[in-house]
Amino acid sequence: LSPGAKMGCFTFIKVMMILFNLAIFLSGATLLGVGIWVTVDDQSFLEIFGALSSSVLQVVYVSYFLIAIGAILLVIGFLGCYGAQKDSKCLLMMFFSVVLIIFIAEIAAAVVALVYTGLAETLLTAVVTPLLKEKYGTDTSFTHIWNVTMTEVHCCGLNNYTDFTNSTWYNHHRTYPDPCSLVVRGLLPLAHPHLRGCLLQGCFNQLLEEIKTNAGVVGGVAVGIAALEIAAMAVSMYLYCKLDQK
């Protein structure tokens, strides 16, 4: 290619890099804003979106998740956009490094999720079960999120109904939460869980089954994200290397 064609190719890729990372930056700002909104006014968020969702996001603090993802996207978008616009090798290398770290972390998380599902359940149990025992029935938002989850996913607790045994809710009401009384054959008070033996499974297993059922969609999204990350790293490294030749 002639020097003019090479420069035109460099300029085109640079502009695409700026626009792509500008979109990432704006997406991060949006998620960060929604996360702050959920933190400040979580009831409004749950009233709008709570009943529509039956995903694992309902068993964690949605606001913290959104704020974390939004902040990461803001950093990535800024590094990529500003680094490409200013022809900064330092910022481009930082962009490459951050995306590479995230890419490696995603692969590690996928391996752990596939191979060590039991470990994931153990870790979640260690974190979530104490929260269920302490906050369910006392924290309005936490209680509402779990009620929506258990109703929509048809589950009870993280592992099973015993997560509520000796909890603040059980000690006060001497019974299990209403969503836990729904069983396969109808309504059955969980004060006598041995009767007819048709108890709902815990939410972890139910959510895991949902993920397995939609494995194709989840896998497709994961592959798409991975492809974008690889492309972003390749473009940033191309610009980094070409800056020496300008």
Side-chain angles (χ1 to χ4, degrees):
L1 293 176
S2 65
K6 290 182 179 179
M7 183 56 66
C9 180
F10 175 85
T11 302
F12 174 78
I13 293 177
K14 175 180 173 178
V15 171
M16 289 298 101
M17 178 78 168
I18 292 173
L19 293 176
F20 175 73
N21 283 283
L22 180 60
I24 290 178
F25 183 85
L26 293 176
S27 298
T30 301
L31 288 178
L32 187 62
V34 172
I36 295 173
W37 169 37
V38 175
T39 303
V40 175
D41 189 15
D42 51 2
Q43 284 300 315
S44 296
F45 179 84
L46 290 171
E47 287 173 5
I48 296 172
F49 297 104
L52 301 177
S53 176
S54 59
S55 67
V56 73
L57 290 181
Q58 291 179 332
V59 297
V60 299
Y61 286 106
V62 181
S63 58
Y64 298 149
F65 177 83
L66 292 177
I67 289 173
I69 297 299
I72 292 172
L73 291 179
L74 274 177
V75 172
I76 293 175
F78 172 78
L79 292 175
C81 186
Y82 194 72
Q85 198 273 328
K86 292 295 185 180
D87 292 337
S88 172
K89 294 182 68 176
C90 178
L91 291 179
L92 287 173
M93 181 53 67
M94 289 177 64
F95 171 85
F96 177 88
S97 301
V98 171
V99 176
L100 179 61
I101 291 171
I102 293 173
F103 182 74
I104 293 174
E106 288 171 348
I107 292 177
V111 171
V112 170
L114 291 173
V115 180
Y116 300 106
T117 305
L119 175 61
E121 184 176 8
T122 301
L123 292 175
L124 276 174
T125 299
V127 174
V128 176
T129 303
L131 290 175
L132 276 175
K133 290 184 179 296
E134 177 185 350
K135 291 193 173 186
Y136 186 89
T138 59
D139 187 310
T140 303
S141 298
F142 186 83
T143 304
H144 181 68
I145 290 172
W146 269 95
N147 282 339
V148 172
T149 300
M150 293 188 292
T151 301
E152 294 291 323
V153 186
H154 305 300
C155 57
C156 180
L158 183 67
N159 298 295
N160 51 51
Y161 73 96
T162 59
D163 289 343
F164 292 103
T165 302
N166 296 324
S167 66
T168 302
W169 171 272
Y170 186 86
N171 290 335
H172 184 266
H173 296 277
R174 306 310 301 174
T175 186
Y176 293 88
D178 290 339
C180 290
S181 63
L182 177 65
V183 295
V184 177
R185 296 179 187 174
L187 295 176
L188 178 66
L190 286 187
H192 306 285
H194 59 282
L195 297 178
R196 295 164 62 183
C198 291
L199 291 175
L200 291 174
Q201 296 182 358
C203 293
F204 180 86
N205 290 329
Q206 295 297 90
L207 292 169
L208 190 61
E209 286 301 316
E210 282 197 13
I211 292 174
K212 289 180 179 179
T213 302
N214 298 284
V217 175
V218 175
V221 171
V223 170
I225 292 174
L228 285 176
E229 290 171 341
I230 292 173
M233 288 188 290
V235 170
S236 64
M237 188 52 62
Y238 170 83
L239 294 176
Y240 178 89
C241 295
K242 288 297 180 181
L243 286 175
D244 288 332
Q245 303 175 16
K246 290 184 64 180

